Structure formats: structure tokens, C-alpha cells
């Protein structure tokens, strides 16, 4: 089971964090800080796995963003890498060649996509098409709501 | 008014949107904190507005700030407001923020229960979806309990999207609310066969997670997963399934055997690395489990794995390299030989740029080392040590070097002088924690290898003389390396006879910079100063050199006081004692008295390695109670005494000086202080020594030293020593390295010397001749290597009477790191559900008083006890007595256990597992039986007895049958195996396979093997009845039902080809009655059903036919025909056979358990209006009758007392059936109660037939 997923930039700025197990806020910050420093100091040619406490940390760098996941000791590291890659593919499909700024300014979308792909730390849907379909359907739902509501809510309708 | 409203709205348009906020933060990099503080103020203001749009916007901004690390818990309530919005856009944001920042302690979560319930049941699929997703992040125990039922309801949603998410959420709910697992599990299991692949794989994910934490409860699912594995092509899911098998395999080696083939195929065929890696891992698990159990040749699989891993390791992808090494390490534990083939590629990884890969390669090294290559490998590692950056990796390297060398009591080391040189060399390395290790090694080697002592002592003496160099480094390095000085001092003291220049060593020790050394080392120094002093004294006295004696005494008296100031209490004590002693001696010396003999006598005696566990193993002498006072404790004790007392007591055990030996020395320093005052007379000493010698002789645990070896050694080495020194002198001193100590033979120098010194080689050869006679057994490939040193490789001394077992501790702490949350989920899923086990449903909670409290309402304490009891369901099922105190409950004879549900899946598994491969070894089967017995220690007398009596029968109690028995089974047994081979999967996927039901409908008969293993004089029971038979085919059948579908029964028919020819085109048809209809292919509603297999000669196979039934209160009988073609030499001949398929009423019942309280309530409630009774004669005892009814009639025993027993069962439509059996004077009377008159009469009638047989 995935324990958490972190996205951070080369400068160590956190871009997205999703925790599938309960940690105290303090602990979350500590883990994030430690992992970000460790991973940023690793050289590009190094393997993508770290042992961190009881967990295995798997990370991969895409352009300026690091994607970092923690799994349990007995989990399959390569599958975790594929999870990361699949998520990147999904972001790419959704945003159209995704870049860091997309994720910064549409971070909620990034969360939504992650949420369709993984749930409770497990893979929910392995088909890219299905995930994107679900996202598109929900976006549509939002669009239907917004325009007519907008002016009314502002007392201008 | 209106104007103000408009203005407000215009203001709001200028509110910051999320994008503005993000942009603002990016533009205010210098004073981010200030900017965000301002933003938070704005947000607080926005949250006070009424408009939900504004609030949503504010919450969205907060969620961004939360990610940046700001606390937003103060807005929890506002978040809930947004979550409750009717607009999806807002709800989505609300849930997102909630899932990011809510946690167990968020108290407002209590408020969300009803809102969540509403969302879960929303008609908008995405409302429910987003609620499911949110719940997955912040579910608490309360939410889990209150919403479990709602989530379970969603499992049957028509939308795969919802089902999928609900399935995944279940795992979180189980974790938070373990009581929900058992009632929900059957539903979850169904989802394994969901038509939607996404739901299916979600269910696999969840069960895989559950099973990995508590594998034994999921063993019975193996066939289902096996089928999934062989049919699925979804790699994501396959990985999970294979991982799950990896968890199951250690529990069931036979499963491993079954898996090997499909896994091997996958390994060979797949191109996905992740799948390949998972397969290899599981194969390794299989190999480990198999190697522990049955013997067998699996070299092919090992070879395959090792070969594939070799490919991974050689891959240029660092990730694969890493994982390859990791997995290789696992194989190494069981099959080291196989791994050695890849020595070269593993060694190559030591040069890898990536530190983590190097560390993995280091892990493997100890498997690669042999006597031949250890020097080379260590040299390589040493060169890495020099180049290593980062103290972490260097420490790792250092400890590995030492580990490899000391592996298995120096198994690989042939030349200990080389090893000591290595250790000395290592002291020069900047490390943080290897000092103690080196110290331990030097001491251990010196103690174990007598012949090395001279060399070791000379090296250690040099270290001591140059202690100031060692201590010159940083504080950290100093404290690390000074540990080596401890060993050096100890060795010089203990083996002082080998010290060349005692005077100089003694002076160095006395003049050491005391302040630079930790206290415990000073303490050791003092002790060994005393030893050296004794040696030097006796030498001087012998020579009658009173000047030397005097100057020695003076030296001691002048230098010792500095040790009195040490911060180590023991050191202080030793220093004081020694100082006083020297003063006394000096007085005697003043009178020209020689007392050296007495002084040296203090330190006589040989030390032997003592096993690490020896101290713990000292057996407690009988009659000794360590807890009683020897004397009554004094009323008050002086403070100074109490301060020193514990220190002294703890001294011997804590001192790290003996870390390597683990126990006090037989003749040691502990006793010294006292002895010094006593000053035993020489006679006494002699006597004691003689006594000790006798003890040693008679003590089988005492390692006797090899006197010869020591005797020869020094002379030889003495000559060498000279050459050493010359060589060292010849080499110019390298002053740049502060640690270069003149005279200390470093590794390089040592190697150089080896090559240059002829005498050494000669000596070696000579030695070899001598040692050769002793004929030490060495492993074959190392035969040709010279054994330079004789090593005492024994485990060490153990106290007399100690048992030499290794089990203690290991056994207890084996429990791997399964955290608490998972332990709670350790429950037997094959046990039938109890009355009270259901998910709390909202409306029930109000009026549930008569139903027994639902779990959700119970108090916390109650819940806890229940949790712990869950796995032992039977214990809970004797409510009549449950009101009495717990103690009494234990004493009461509990009712017979429910139909051995734990055993049943096992039996099923036996079939499945034995199907393809050889039957399990009887040992395993027997073990299982004994396990079962031990599993229920609280089941007293009666159940145990009955288990003994009935042996395997009790397990098969529930099998259907009305007429057949004995011979039938015996004849069918072999067919069974064949049948299950192919058909189990189909059965598994079926609707109504009793074996797969958790509610106790049990199938499976014991394997023939088991039949043999438990002798029994009762006829074996079977629920397979003969259906029809002719010269070609023999049909037997069993009826299977399940409560999952109350309108269906299934009939499993075994077709056995008893003729001499192949049978093809088998078609099965029955004449439907009004009540019972066969479920056919919708395309051919009237036609015969084709049986999907052919039967070659002598083969039998099983097929399941399903029937829809209307009424179940009357026995059914269907007429049918089987047609088939018999292949003869003259072509195919059509044949047919008629039969009558019977469904008696009891075949529609399933065993159910009920507490006796609930049972009596049920009887007296008047709910069961219909009753019937019967009487007839019998020769059987009550036990036999009950057993018979339970097995064939699917009843469970509620209570059995004296001559009567009450039995309980349920129809597949959940109607209770209660029967009271009395056996008295050869007559059986049956009283039945049930809601349906027709049903109860039919049942009793059938029961009579059963009993009469």
C-alpha cells in the first residue's frame, strides 16, 4: 500500500502531498523535510530507491519535478515506479504536456486526478482512459454549475 | 441597502482568487510569511460571509496554504460547511481540503456522519464518489462504525465506479473498525468475481493487503486467486496476486509447489520487469518454504531465478541492479551455492557509483567469500574504505569487513597474522563506531588462536607505546579508537609472557594521557598495569636487581595516583587497591623480601572463550530462591555504601572489556580486591590450582589449550620478529600520517613482508606438516590452502547443566513488525458469523434491545474484550453460562465446537493442493492435526474427547448424505483427487459451493492419507451418493446450497468412467418439475446440458449443475437421463442411463450456530409455531445419533446434556429449525420446531431415516 506521495521541485518546494496513512502534522513535516533533502542530494545516476525507516521510498524526477512515493517494505518498488509514471502520464494527458506551473496553478486538479487514480493508497483504476473520463465528467458537472450560478451569487443576476 | 449589497459584491469580485494568491506568493518571495499572514486575515474575513462561493474560494486558498505547511485546522468547521454544499464544485473543494487536513483528532468530524451518509447515498454518482474518496483519507473509528453499512450497500451499486471506490475504502474501514471485517468479508469476496475488471482488481488489492498482514486466515482463498492468476492478463493485478501468494506460501509449502510452474512460465514469458521481479520474489519465498519442508529438486527454479537476477544486476538501469542485488540476498540465505556463480558481477557492483547499490552488494559479499579469495576481497574493501566519502558508508564498509572475516568463527581465515594486521590497519581509519568492534575482534582472536598471541601482543604493545598518536585525532575519533587501546592493554596484560619489553609497555601505560581516555579504559589499564607489574617484578626479583625493583615500585607509586582520579568508579577502586598493594609490597621490598611469586599468582590461569549466552544459561540451583532475603534488610544503610554498592555489583556484567566473552572469567578480576587482602599462602594457592585443574579435567565444556602449539611458537617467531623490525626500520617513516606507528605492521607492510621473507614461507610449510597430522576437516575446495593457525572455533564455555538450545528469545521475538492496527484484523474468516456480528445499521440502533446489542453500541472496554475473543468464536457461544464469572466459564464444559470450521478450509485446500502434486508428507498432515488440537486449549474434556473419538469425522460432519456411506467413499476417493484437479476452479467460481461459504456449509472430505493417519472404527461418512451406474459410467452426486442464493441449489455430479473405452459428448438432462428447474443455457431452455469434458478410460471428473427451487419444505425428486457416446473400435456407440436426482429437505439446510440463550429465547418466543415429533428404536448412543444428524442433517449442537441434545440449523432461506434429540432405553425421540409444518415433518422424517441407517 502506498503510504504517501510527494511532489517537490528541484528547489525543494513542495508542490503536492497526499498522505494515505495518518501522521501527525509535525511528523509529516519532518518526513517531508528529510526526504526532500536526501533525494535532492542524490546524483542522477543513482537508483531510485531509498530505505527510510520502515518504509521504502521510490522517487523519480520528471523535468524539474520530483515524484516521490513511500511504500511498505514488502511492496514492489518497480510497480511503485510505474504508479508514478502512470500518474505523470495522466497529468500529461490532462494538461497537455504538463509542466510545473500547471501543477502549481491547478494543484486541485492534480489532486483530483490522483484521487481518481489512487484511493486509500491502492490503485483504483489502471486504465488511463477511464481515469480521464471520470475527470472530464466531473469537470463537466462543474462547468454546468458555474456560469448560471456565478452572477446570481453575486447579486447581479 | 441594495446599493450596499451591490458594493459588497463588487468588493468580492476583487477578492483574491486562488490564482491571485499563488501569483502573490510567487511575487513576494522575500516576505512570504508576512504576505501569507495578510492573506489568512482576508480568508478569515471571507469565511464570515454568507455566500458559499466566497467561502469555497477561501477554503480553496486555504488548501493551498495547507500544502505549503501552514496550519489551517482552525477552519475545520468552515470546511465542513463547504463540504455540505449542494453544488458539486463546492463539495469537491470541500472534500479535497478535508481530505488534506482532517485527521483522527479533528473533533468536528463527528458532525459529518449524517452529511457523509447523505452523500454516499446520493443519486449523483460523483457525489458518492467524492465522499468515498474523502472518507478514505479521514475515516475515524466512529465514522467507520457508523458508515460501514452504507459503504457495504454501495458494493452492490450498479455503477462500477462506485463499487470500485467502495471496495477500496473497505480496507480503511476494516483497519479502523475491525469488527466489520467478518460480516463484510463474504461481500468483498464476491467482488473478486465482479464483471468489471476495475472492481475485481480493487478487491484483489484489498484482500492482498489484508492477507499480507494475517496470511493464515486467507489460505482458503488460494484456489480463487490461483484461478485469477492463471486467467488474468492485467499485470497490476497479477503483481498483487503473486505478492499475496508470496505471503501465503510460507504457511503451506504444497501451495508453493503448485505455484512453481505457473510462476516459472510467467518469468519466462513476461516482459514487464515489475511482474518479473514479483514472480522471482515469490519463487524465492516458495523455495525458502519448500526447502524447510519437503525435500525435492528445485535447482531448475533456483537456476532460473539466479540467472534472471544476474541479468537484472548486469542491466545498465540502476534500479534493476539494486533490486537484483536485493533479491539475490534473499536467495543467498538458502541457496548460497547458486549465488556464488555470480560472484564476479556482484563484486563489480562494489565499484558502482551509487552508494545504495554498493551497500546491497556488500550484503551479498559474505556469501561470496571463500578461504581462497578473502584476502583479495578484503583488500578491495580496504581500498574502498580509503576512497569512501561519507562516514555512513565507511562505517558500513568497516563493519562488513569485520563481519566477513569473523563469519562463522573465522571460517574463512587461514592466516590470522594477516587478520590482526588488517585490524590494526583499520584502527587508522576515521570511523565513528568500529573501534569497539576491532577491540572485540582482537581480543577474541587472541584468545581463540593461541599461536597468534605472540604476534598480536607485539602489535598491541606497539599500539600502547604509541597511544598518543592514536589519540591525537578529533574527539570523536579518539573515543572510537581508544576502544582499541582497551583491547591492546588487556592483551598485553593477559599475555604478558609474550611481551618483549615489559618495562617499556608498563611505562607507556602508566604515562598514558589519562585525561584523554574514557573511564572504563583507564580502569582496564589499571588492571593490566598490575599484571605487567607482576611480571616485571618477578623478572627483576629473579635477577636480584633491587635497584630495578625499587625504581619499578617508585614508578608505580608516582604514576598510579593519577588513575585514582578517574571518573569511572571501578577504575578508581582498582587504582586505589593497586596503589595500596604496591605500598605494602614496597614496604616488604624495603626489607628485601621477595614476593613476586605471590603477586604473579594473582593473575594465573588460562582464559577460555565463553559463550555469549553462558551467563544467562547458568541454571538456577534447586532450592535457591533469588527473591527471598538472605538477611532481613537493614533498617537504614549508610549513604556512601549504597552509592558504591550497585556499581560494584554491576561492574562485571557491564564492563565492555568482556563484551566478546559475555561472562566473567573463571579466575578473574572480580574476586581480586578481596584476595589481595587475604593474600593466600602459596600452599593454599597450590591447592586451589590443583582443585581447579581437576575441575577442568572433569568438565566436558572446558576447552583444553593446545600446549604444544604454544611451546613451539615463540622461538620461531622470535627470529621472525627481528626481521620484522629490520624491515620496518628500513622503510622510511611516513610522518604525514599521524597514525603511522613505527613498528606496527600495517596490512600493506605485512603483505610486503610476506612476499619478501623466505623464512616466513618456510615456517609456514613446516607448520603445515605438523598441523596436517591433526587433520582438521576443511571444505573441499579449500583443501589446498595452508592452515596457518589453529583456531578454537567452539562456541565457548557454557555453565554446567545448561541446556544447549538456541531457541530462546528467537522464538519469542520472531513476531515481525505487524503493527497494532493489523493485529486487530487477525480473525478467522471461515468461521460462521455469530448472531451479534452484523454491521451496525442506523435504524436498528434505536430498537435493537431484543436483538442483542449491536457491536457498535457496546462500551469501549467491551469492544476490546470482544476483539480479543473474535478469533475464538466458539468460546463466546455458550451464553447460558456467560453471565457467571469469567473464571467459572472456563471451568464449565463448553458445548461442542461448531462444526470444526477452522479445519474445513484446510481440508478443501488439501484436495486442491494435493490434486496435482504428490500428497503431502504425513508429517505435515499430522502436524496440522496437532495444531488444530492445540488451537483450542480452552475446549475441555468433552470436545477433546469427541475429537479424539471421531477423528476426522467431526471435520466432515456437515457433509450431505442420506443413504450412502463406507464403501462408496473408499471407492470414490481416488476419483476425488482427479476431480478436484480440474474442476475446483469452476466450483470456486460457482454460486453455491459450500466449501467457499463462510457460513459453515462445509464440504470436503479428508484425503485418503488422513484417513490412514487417524485410526477409527467408525465408518467414514460421505455426502456423495450414488446417482446411477452402468457398465460404462458411474455417477455420484452431492447437493450444495448456500444462503447467498435462497432459490438455488447445486448438484455436483462426479462422472466416473468405469468402462474400458473413452466416453464423449456427455449430455445431462432432467425433467423439470413445477418446483425445481435446472438452470440451462438460455439459448436452449429445454435442451440437455452438455458436460464440458470427455472421459478417457478410468478417469472421473466433476461438474456442477444448478437448479432453481421454489418450495423447499418438501423433498424433491427429479427424473433425468444422461446420454453419451462410447468410443469403441467399431466407432462411437450412443448410450444412455436414467437416474433420479433427489433433493431431500435436509439438503436445503445449512449449519448455523446460535447461542443457547438465543436458542431458548427462540423456542419460547412462539415464533416457531409448527412442531412435530417422532419416536423410534435405535441401537446407537446419543453421541452417535447426534454426530449422524449433524453430519447428514447439517445441524449444529447447541447444548448437550445427559441423554438429550438440542440441535439447530437454518434453511437456505434463513428459517430456523430446532430439534431436540433424546436417546433413552434404546429409543430415540425427536422433537422439532420450525415455522413451517410441512418442512418440519419432512425434516424429521428424513432424520429418522438417517438415524435408522
Amino acid at each position: 500500500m502506498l503510504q504517501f506521495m510527494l511532489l517537490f521541485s528541484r528547489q525543494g518546494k513542495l508542490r503536492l502531498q497526499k498522505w494515505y496513512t495518518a501522521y501527525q502534522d509535525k511528523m509529516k513535516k519532518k518526513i517531508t523535510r528529510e526526504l526532500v533533502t536526501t533525494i535532492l542530494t542524490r546524483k542522477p545516476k543513482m537508483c531510485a530507491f531509498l530505505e527510510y525507516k520502515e518504509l521504502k521510498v521510490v522517487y523519480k524526477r520528471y523535468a524539474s519535478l520530483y515524484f516521490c512515493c513511500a511504500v511498505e517494505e514488502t511492496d514492489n518498488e518497480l510497480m511503485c515506479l510505474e504508479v508514478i509514471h502512470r500518474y505523470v502520464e495522466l497529468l500529461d494527458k490532462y494538461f497537455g504536456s504538463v509542466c510545473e506551473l500547471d501543477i502549481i496553478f491547478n494543484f486541485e486538479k492534480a489532486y483530483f486526478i490522483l484521487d481518481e487514480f489512487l484511493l486509500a493508497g491502492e490503485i483504483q483504476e489502471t486504465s488511463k482512459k477511464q481515469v480521464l473520463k471520470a475527470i472530464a465528467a466531473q469537470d463537466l458537472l462543474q462547468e454546468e454549475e458555474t456560469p448560471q450560478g456565478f452572477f446570481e451569487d453575486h447579486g447581479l443576476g | 441597502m441594495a446599493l450596499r449589497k451591490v458594493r459588497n459584491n463588487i468588493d468580492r469580485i476583487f477578492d483574491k482568487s486562488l490564482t491571485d494568491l499563488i501569483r502573490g506568493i510567487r511575487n513576494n518571495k522575500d516576505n512570504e510569511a508576512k504576505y501569507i499572514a495578510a492573506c489568512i486575515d482576508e480568508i478569515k474575513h471571507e469565511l464570515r460571509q454568507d455566500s458559499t462561493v466566497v467561502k469555497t474560494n477561501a477554503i480553496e486558498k486555504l488548501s493551498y496554504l495547507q500544502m505549503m505547511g501552514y496550519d489551517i485546522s482552525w477552519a475545520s468547521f468552515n470546511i465542513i460547511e463547504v463540504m455540505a454544499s449542494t453544488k458539486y464544485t463546492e463539495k469537491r473543494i470541500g472534500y479535497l481540503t478535508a481530505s488534506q487536513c482532517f485527521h483522527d483528532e479533528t473533533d468536528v468530524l463527528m458532525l459529518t456522519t449524517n452529511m457523509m451518509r447523505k452523500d454516499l447515498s446520493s443519486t449523483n454518482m460523483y457525489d458518492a464518489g467524492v465522499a468515498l474518496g474523502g472518507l478514505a483519507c479521514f475515516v475515524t473509528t466512529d465514522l467507520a462504525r457508523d458508515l460501514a453499512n452504507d459503504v457495504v450497500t454501495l458494493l452492490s451499486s450498479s455503477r462500477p465506479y462506485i463499487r470500485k471506490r467502495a471496495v477500496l475504502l473497505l480496507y480503511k474501514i476494516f483497519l479502523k473498525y475491525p469488527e466489520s471485517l467478518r460480516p463484510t468479508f463474504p461481500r468483498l469476496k464476491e467482488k473478486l468475481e465482479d464483471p468489471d475488471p476495475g472492481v475485481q482488481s480493487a478487491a484483489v488489492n484489498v484482500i492482498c493487503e489484508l492477507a499480507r498482514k494475517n496470511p493464515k486466515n486467507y489460505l482458503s482463498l488460494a484456489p480463487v486467486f490461483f484461478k485469477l492468476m492463471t486467467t488474468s492478463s492485467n499485470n497490476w493485478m497479477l503483481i498483487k496476486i503473486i505478492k499475496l501468494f508470496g505471503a501465503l506460501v510460507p504457511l503451506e509449502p504444497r501451495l508453493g509447489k503448485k505455484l512453481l510452474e505457473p510462476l516459472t512460465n510467467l518469468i519466462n514469458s513476461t516482459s514487464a520487469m515489475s511482474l518479473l521481479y514479483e514472480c522471482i520474489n515469490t519463487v524465492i519465498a516458495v523455495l525458502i518454504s519448500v526447502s524447510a519442508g519437503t525435500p525435492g529438486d528445485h535447482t531448475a527454479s533456483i537456476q532460473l531465478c539466479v540467472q534472471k537476477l544476474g541479468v537484472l544486476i548486469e542491466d545498465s538501469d540502476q534500479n534493476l541492479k539494486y533490486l537484483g542485488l536485493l533479491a539475490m540476498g534473499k536467495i543467498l540465505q538458502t541457496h548460497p551455492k547458486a549465488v556464488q556463480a555470480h560472484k564476479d558481477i556482484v563484486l563489480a557492483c562494489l565499484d558502482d557509483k551509487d552508494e545504495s547499490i554498493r551497500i546491497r552488494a556488500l550484503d551479498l559479499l559474505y556469501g561470496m567469500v571463500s578461504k581462497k579469495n578473502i584476502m583479495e576481497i578484503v583488500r578491495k574493501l580496504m581500498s574502498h574504505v580509503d576512497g569512501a566519502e561519507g562516514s555512513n558508508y565507511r562505517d558500513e564498509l568497516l563493519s562488513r569487513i569485520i563481519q566477513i572475516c569473523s563469519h562463522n568463527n573465522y571460517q574463512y581465515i587461514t592466516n590470522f597474522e594477516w587478520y590482526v594486521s588488517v585490524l590494526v590497519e583499520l584502527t587508522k581509519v576515521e570511523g565513528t563506531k568500529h573501534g569497539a568492534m576491532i577491540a572485540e575482534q582482537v581480543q577474541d582472536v587472541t584468545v581463540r588462536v593461541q599461536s597468534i598471541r605472540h604476534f598480536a601482543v607485539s602489535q598491541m604493545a606497539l599500539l600502547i607505546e604509541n597511544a598518543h598518536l592514536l589519540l591525537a585525532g578529533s574527539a570523536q575519533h579518539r573515543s572510537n579508537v581508544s576502544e582499541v587501546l582497551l583491547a591492546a592493554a588487556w592483551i598485553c596484560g593477559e599475555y604478558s609472557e609474550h611481551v618483549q619489553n615489559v618495562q617499556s609497555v608498563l611505562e607507556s601505560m602508566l604515562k598514558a594521557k589519562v585525561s584523554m581516555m574514557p573511564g572504563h579504559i583507564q580502569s582496564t589499564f589499571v588492571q593490566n598495569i598490575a599484571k605487567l607489574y607482576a611480571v616485571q617484578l618477578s623478572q627483576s626479583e629473579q635477577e636480584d636487581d633491587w635497584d630495578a625493583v625499587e625504581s619499578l615500585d617508585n614508578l608505580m607509586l608516582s604514576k598510579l595516583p593519577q588513575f585514582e582520579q578517574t571518573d569511572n568508579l571501578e577504575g578508581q577502586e582498582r587504582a586505589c587497591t593497586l596503589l595500596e598493594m604496591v605500598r605494602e609490597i614496597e614496604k616488604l621490598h624495603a626489607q628485601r623480601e621477595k614476593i613476586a611469586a605471590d603477586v604473579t599468582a594473582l593473575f594465573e590461569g588460562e582464559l577460555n572463550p565463553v559463550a555469549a549466552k553462558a551467563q544467562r544459561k547458568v541454571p538456577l540451583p534447586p532450592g535457591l530462591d533469588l527473591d527471598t532475603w538472605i538477611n532481613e534488610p537493614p533498617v537504614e544503610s549508610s549513604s556512601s555504601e549504597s552509592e558504591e554498592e550497585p556499581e560494584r555489583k554491576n561492574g562485571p556484567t557491564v564492563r565492555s572489556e568482556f563484551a566478546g566473552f559475555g561472562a566473567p572469567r573463571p579466575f578473574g578480576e572480580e574476586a581480586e580486591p578481596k584476595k589481595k587482602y587475604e593474600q593466600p599462602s602459596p600452599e593454599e594457592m597450590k591447592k586451589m590450582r590443583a582443585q581447579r585443574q581437576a575441575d577442568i579435567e572433569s568438565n566436558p565444556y572446558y576447552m583444553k589449550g593446545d600446549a604444544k602449539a604454544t611451546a613451539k611458537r615463540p622461538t620461531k617467531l622470535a627470529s621472525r620478529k627481528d626481521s620484522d623490525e629490520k624491515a620496518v626500520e628500513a622503510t622510511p617513516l611516513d610522518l604525514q600520517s599521524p597514525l603511522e606507528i613505527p613498528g606496527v605492521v600495517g596490512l600493506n607492510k605485512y603483505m610486503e613482508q610476506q612476499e619478501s621473507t623466505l623464512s616466513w614461507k618456510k615456517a609456514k610449510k613446516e607448520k603445515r606438516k605438523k598441523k596436517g597430522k591433526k587433520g582438521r576437516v576443511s571444505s573441499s575446495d579449500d583443501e589446498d590452502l595452508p592452515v596457518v593457525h589453529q583456531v578454537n572455533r567452539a562456541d565457548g564455555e557454557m555453565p554446567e547443566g545448561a541446556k544447549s538450545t538456541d531457541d530462546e528469545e528467537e522464538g519469542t521475538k520472531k513476531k515481525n513488525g505487524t503493527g497494532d492496527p493489523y493485529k486487530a484484523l487477525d480473525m478467522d474468516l471461515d468461521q460462521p458469523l455469530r448472531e451479534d456480528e452484523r454491521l451496525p445499521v442506523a435504524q436498528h440502533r434505536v430498537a435493537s434491545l431484543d436483538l442483542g446489542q449491536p457491536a457498535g453500541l457496546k462500551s469501549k472496554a467491551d469492544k476490546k474484550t470482544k476483539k480479543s475473543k473474535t478469533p475464538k468464536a466458539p468460546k463466546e457461544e455458550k451464553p447460558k453460562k456467560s453471565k457467571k464469572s469469567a473464571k467459572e466459564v472456563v471451568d464449565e464444559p463448553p458445548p461442542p465446537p461448531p462444526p470444526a470450521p477452522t479445519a474445513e478450509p484446510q481440508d478443501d485446500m488439501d484436495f486442491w493442493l494435493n490434486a496435482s502434486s504428490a500428497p503431502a508428507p504425513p508429517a505435515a498432515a499430522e502436524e496440522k492435526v496437532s495444531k488444530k488440537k492445540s488451537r483450542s486449549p480452552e475446549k475441555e474434556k468433552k470436545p477433546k474427547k469427541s475429537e479424539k473419538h471421531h477423528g476426522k469425522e467431526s471435520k466432515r460432519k456437515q457433509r450431505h448424505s442420506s443413504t450412502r456411506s463406507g464403501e462408496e467413499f473408499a471407492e470414490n476417493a481416488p476419483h476425488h483427487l482427479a476431480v478436484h484437479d480440474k474442476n475446483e476452479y469452476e466450483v470456486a467460481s460457482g454460486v453455491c459451493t459450500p466449501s467457499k461459504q463462510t457460513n459453515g456449509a462445509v464440504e470436503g472430505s479428508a484425503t485418503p492419507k488422513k484417513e490412514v493417519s487417524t485410526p477409527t472404527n467408525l465408518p467414514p461418512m460421505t455426502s456423495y451418493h450414488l446417482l446411477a451406474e452402468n457398465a460404462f459410467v458411474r455417477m455420484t452426486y452431492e447437493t450444495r446450497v448456500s444462503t447467498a442464493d435462497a432459490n438455488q441449489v447445486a448438484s455436483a455430479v462426479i462422472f466416473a468412467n468405469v468402462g474400458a473405452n473413452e466416453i464423449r459428448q456427455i449430455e445431462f438432462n432432467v425433467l423439470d418439475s413445477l418446483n425445481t428447474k435446472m438452470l440451462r443455457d438460455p439459448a436452449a431452455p429445454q435442451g440437455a446440458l452438455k458436460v464440458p469434458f470427455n472421459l478417457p478410460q478410468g478417469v472421473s471428473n466433476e461438474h456442477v449443475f444448478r437448479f432453481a427451487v421454489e418450495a423447499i419444505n418438501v423433498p424433491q425428486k427429479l427424473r433425468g437421463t444422461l446420454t453419451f457416446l462410447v468410443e469403441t473400435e467399431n466407432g462411437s456407440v450412443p448410450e444412455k442411463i436414467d437416474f433420479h436426482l433427489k433433493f431431500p429437505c435436509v439438503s436445503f439446510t445449512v449449519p448455523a450456530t446460535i447461542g443457547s440463550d438465543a436458542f431458548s429465547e427462540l423456542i419460547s418466543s412462539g415464533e416457531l409455531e409448527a412442531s412435530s415429533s417422532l419416536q423410534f428404536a435405535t441401537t446407537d448412543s446419543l453421541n452417535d445419533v447426534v454426530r449422524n444428524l449433524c453430519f447428514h442433517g447439517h445441524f449444529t449442537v447447541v447444548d448437550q446434556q445427559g441423554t438429550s441434545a438440542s440441535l439447530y440449523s437454518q434453511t437456505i432461506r434463513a428459517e430456523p429449525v430446532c430439534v431436540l434429540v433424546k436417546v433413552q432405553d434404546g429409543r430415540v425421540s425427536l422433537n422439532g420446531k420450525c415455522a413451517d409444518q410441512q418442512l418440519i415433518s419432512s425434516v424429521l422424517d428424513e432424520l429418522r431415516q438417517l438415524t435408522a441407517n
Side-chain angles (χ1 to χ4, degrees), chain A residues 1 13-18 20-21 24 28-29 42-43 45-49 51 72 74-79 81-83 86 101 104-105 107-109 111-112 115-116 119-120 122-126 134-135 137-139 141-142 145-146 153-156, chain B residues 9 12-13 18-19 22-23 26 32 53 60 63-64 66-67 69 87-89 92 96 99-100 105 124 126 133 136-137 161 164-165 168-169 171-172 205 209 212-213 234 236 239-240 243 273-274 277-278 318-320 322-323 326 353-356 360 822:
Chain A
M1 195 186 108
K13 287 254 189 215
L14 204 56
R15 295 299 177 211
L16 185 141
Q17 52 170 333
K18 187 84 190 175
Y20 294 107
T21 28
Q24 293 291 325
K28 284 186 189 175
K29 278 185 190 163
R42 285 177 71 86
K43 297 193 183 81
K45 273 279 169 180
M46 288 185 171
C47 73
F49 313 122
E51 271 160 34
E72 284 166 286
T74 48
D75 276 319
N76 187 326
E77 295 94 335
L78 290 175
M79 184 160 103
L81 267 184
E82 284 182 34
V83 166
R86 177 57 56 91
L101 280 180
I104 295 174
F105 283 99
F107 81 104
E108 81 278 17
K109 297 283 184 212
Y111 275 119
F112 293 151
D115 212 34
E116 291 300 322
L119 194 123
E122 295 288 344
I123 298 163
Q124 179 192 166
E125 182 55 72
T126 52
I135 289 286
Q138 291 173 68
D139 284 350
L141 208 63
Q142 285 197 8
E145 277 174 2
T146 332
D153 283 341
H154 288 73
L156 302 170
Chain B
N9 287 326
R12 239 176 281 143
I13 290 174
L18 174 65
T19 317
I22 297 171
R23 215 166 268 151
R26 290 170 71 81
E32 188 185 286
V53 176
E60 194 173 14
S63 74
Y64 188 83
Q66 192 270 342
M67 188 176 67
K87 293 214 178 80
Y88 182 68
T89 320
R92 205 179 182 192
L96 169 66
S99 67
Q100 289 301 103
E105 273 96 60
N124 181 349
Y126 292 109
C137 292
Y161 179 77
K164 186 168 69 185
R165 287 174 85 90
L168 288 175
L169 175 59
Y171 179 59
K172 288 276 168 183
N205 281 347
E209 280 309 311
R212 279 163 64 195
K213 304 297 195 263
N234 178 352
W236 303 85
I239 289 175
K240 286 280 180 181
K243 184 171 286 302
M273 280 300 173
S274 45
Y277 179 61
E278 198 60 59
Q318 299 284 70
N319 296 336
L320 298 183
Y322 177 89
L323 295 177
L326 200 63
K353 273 174 260 153
D354 188 347
E355 181 182 308
S356 28
R360 287 288 150 253
Y822 307 121

Side-chain angles (χ1 to χ4, degrees), chain B residues 83-112:
Chain B
M83 282 160 82
S85 161
T86 49
K87 293 214 178 80
Y88 182 68
T89 320
E90 290 161 11
K91 192 182 280 298
R92 205 179 182 192
I93 296 293
Y95 271 103
L96 169 66
T97 317
S99 67
Q100 289 301 103
C101 75
F102 283 6
H103 51 83
D104 283 355
E105 273 96 60
T106 308
D107 39 9
V108 287
L109 269 175
M110 297 186 300
L111 306 174
T112 58

Side-chain angles (χ1 to χ4, degrees), chain B residues 328-337 339-340 343 346-347 350 359-371 373-374 377 381 399-408 411-412:
Chain B
M328 203 69 114
K330 288 184 204 153
I331 298 189
L332 188 63
Q333 287 160 15
T334 48
H335 303 89
K337 278 260 163 62
V339 179
Q340 256 160 13
K343 195 173 80 192
V346 172
L347 286 179
L350 285 179
I359 289 185
R360 287 288 150 253
L362 282 180
D363 284 343
L364 285 173
L365 261 191
Y366 79 90
M368 308 284 158
V369 169
S370 70
K371 286 183 181 169
N373 65 10
I374 188 164
I377 289 183
L381 292 179
S399 67
R400 284 315 154 96
I401 293 174
I402 290 172
Q403 238 174 44
I404 289 169
C405 292
S406 60
H407 182 68
N408 200 4
Q411 187 188 341
Y412 300 121

Side-chain angles (χ1 to χ4, degrees), chain B residues 1013-1083:
Chain B
S1013 71
T1014 29
T1016 168
N1017 42 13
L1018 295 160
M1021 294 183 176
T1022 176
S1023 57
Y1024 277 87
H1025 321 305
L1026 184 68
L1027 187 58
E1029 188 176 18
N1030 65 7
F1032 306 102
V1033 71
R1034 176 189 166 86
M1035 296 155 67
T1036 48
Y1037 77 107
E1038 180 194 56
T1039 314
R1040 296 169 181 174
V1041 291
S1042 99
T1043 47
D1045 196 332
N1047 296 319
Q1048 268 198 20
V1049 289
S1051 187
V1053 182
I1054 297 175
F1055 302 93
N1057 185 345
V1058 291
N1061 300 307
E1062 184 175 355
I1063 296 176
R1064 293 192 300 114
Q1065 293 195 8
I1066 309 167
E1067 292 190 352
F1068 183 92
N1069 201 3
V1070 294
L1071 216 57
D1072 290 351
S1073 69
L1074 274 180
N1075 189 40
T1076 313
K1077 295 186 170 59
M1078 184 156 81
L1079 297 177
R1080 299 180 166 84
D1081 192 353

Side-chain angles (χ1 to χ4, degrees), chain B residues 205-222:
Chain B
N205 281 347
V206 171
I207 295 181
C208 174
E209 280 309 311
L210 289 169
R212 279 163 64 195
K213 304 297 195 263
N214 299 295
K216 67 174 191 304
N217 302 330
Y218 299 85
L219 214 50
S220 59
L221 287 179

